[in-house]
Amino acid sequence: MNKGKSDKKKMNSYLKMILLMAAGGVVGGIFGFVTAWSGENFIAAIGHGMNRFLFAIRDHALLLECICGVICIMICEIHFAKMKRMGAQMEDAEDEEYHELQYHIEVSSSWGVIASTVGTVLMMLIISPGYSMKYIESQSDGETWRFLAGIVVFLGIVGYFSLWQVRYIKLIQKLYPEKKGDPTSLKFQEQWLASCDEAEKEEIYQASYKTYLLTGKVLPVCTLAAMLLHMVWNTGVLAIIIPAFLWILSSSNYCRCCVTQKSKKLAR
């Protein structure tokens, strides 16, 4: 009886996978049909609009860098100041208040790390449309100096975000002296994890697994989207290779880590 239910469940899984693949094929077919039916003029208009958007970013890169950089820097500094203030309050706090302050420090640190990461990525995205020798050589002297000024601002802001993360780690280590690790070391994550207690390790493991699940869903979608965009707007094969490579890397590294953990258990 149980075997029959198990076989039925298996068949349902196979059927579900076939239906999902069929749905993907239908969506791709509809997209292709709409693209072909709408004609090249419609596709060209969208491509032209995208190019105008990128050119606008390129022409105003310095201003956009300053605006986005200042906003992200303000978020980082505001939350860093909050962490310092709450860290000072922890010294005289009772148990309940102590744990509440710990939680708020975690929230502020998360906002700071997110802002520094988003700021770094935004700097790269803003400067990318004009980051080519062909564009630089086509500019006049005044325009070239504006581009070089954008490079200087880019390096300065990205350097600030890198230093902010070092400051953040040093502050956490000051609040929790048991936390070890050199933030400039390639083995920092391993050193930090080794200094965490079991409860903190469990939180890190759960967060890491959920991150793996998220990337396992996002990367296939990004790869498929890159394939469709390349078919319509000729975005390039590299745009497909990068998310596909990350998809393979994420999956294979997860399997490798699982096998490594199993082998360590057998060796005990």
Side-chain angles (χ1 to χ4, degrees), residues 48-232:
H48 182 66
M50 292 172 63
N51 286 333
R52 288 185 62 183
F53 175 71
L54 292 176
F55 292 157
I57 292 177
R58 184 187 66 189
D59 295 339
H60 301 87
L62 183 59
L63 177 61
L64 290 171
E65 281 180 325
C66 293
I67 293 173
C68 295
V70 167
I71 292 172
C72 292
I73 288 171
M74 286 177 61
I75 294 173
C76 288
E77 289 301 323
I78 287 170
H79 286 286
F80 189 84
K82 285 184 178 180
M83 285 188 285
K84 288 183 68 175
R85 185 172 65 253
M86 289 185 288
Q89 294 173 1
M90 285 173 60
E91 297 178 2
D92 302 321
E94 299 295 335
D95 287 346
E96 186 175 346
E97 185 184 2
Y98 182 87
H99 292 303
E100 187 175 349
L101 287 170
Q102 275 188 320
Y103 167 75
H104 288 297
I105 288 174
E106 183 71 22
V107 172
S108 289
S109 66
S110 297
W111 276 109
V113 170
I114 291 171
S116 62
T117 304
V118 170
T120 301
V121 173
L122 282 176
M123 293 303 105
M124 294 179 179
L125 293 176
I126 290 170
I127 204 169
S128 293
Y131 198 72
S132 69
M133 290 304 300
K134 183 178 179 181
Y135 168 71
I136 295 171
E137 290 173 354
S138 67
Q139 302 303 295
S140 63
D141 292 340
E143 291 172 329
T144 301
W145 279 109
R146 186 174 62 183
F147 175 77
L148 293 176
I151 295 290
V152 171
V153 172
F154 166 81
L155 294 174
I157 294 177
V158 171
Y160 161 82
F161 289 133
S162 299
L163 292 175
W164 184 91
Q165 295 198 4
V166 173
R167 289 169 58 208
Y168 152 68
I169 292 166
K170 292 294 185 182
L171 176 60
I172 296 297
Q173 289 175 334
K174 183 179 178 181
L175 299 177
Y176 306 100
E178 69 276 10
K179 293 289 187 292
K180 305 299 180 183
D182 180 4
T184 61
S185 171
L186 294 176
K187 295 185 177 181
F188 167 72
Q189 300 293 347
E190 297 174 13
Q191 297 167 353
W192 185 273
L193 184 62
S195 67
C196 294
D197 59 31
E198 292 303 317
E200 291 171 328
K201 287 180 181 179
E202 183 65 23
E203 290 177 0
I204 293 172
Y205 295 151
Q206 289 185 12
S208 300
Y209 181 63
K210 288 181 179 179
T211 302
Y212 165 73
L213 293 178
L214 178 63
T215 56
K217 295 175 182 177
V218 172
L219 289 175
V221 174
C222 290
T223 305
L224 179 60
M227 290 174 62
L228 294 174
L229 290 173
H230 175 61
M231 179 180 69
V232 179

Side-chain angles (χ1 to χ4, degrees), residues 22-38 228 231-232:
V26 170
V27 172
I30 293 173
F31 180 81
F33 173 77
V34 171
T35 301
W37 179 78
S38 60
L228 294 174
M231 179 180 69
V232 179

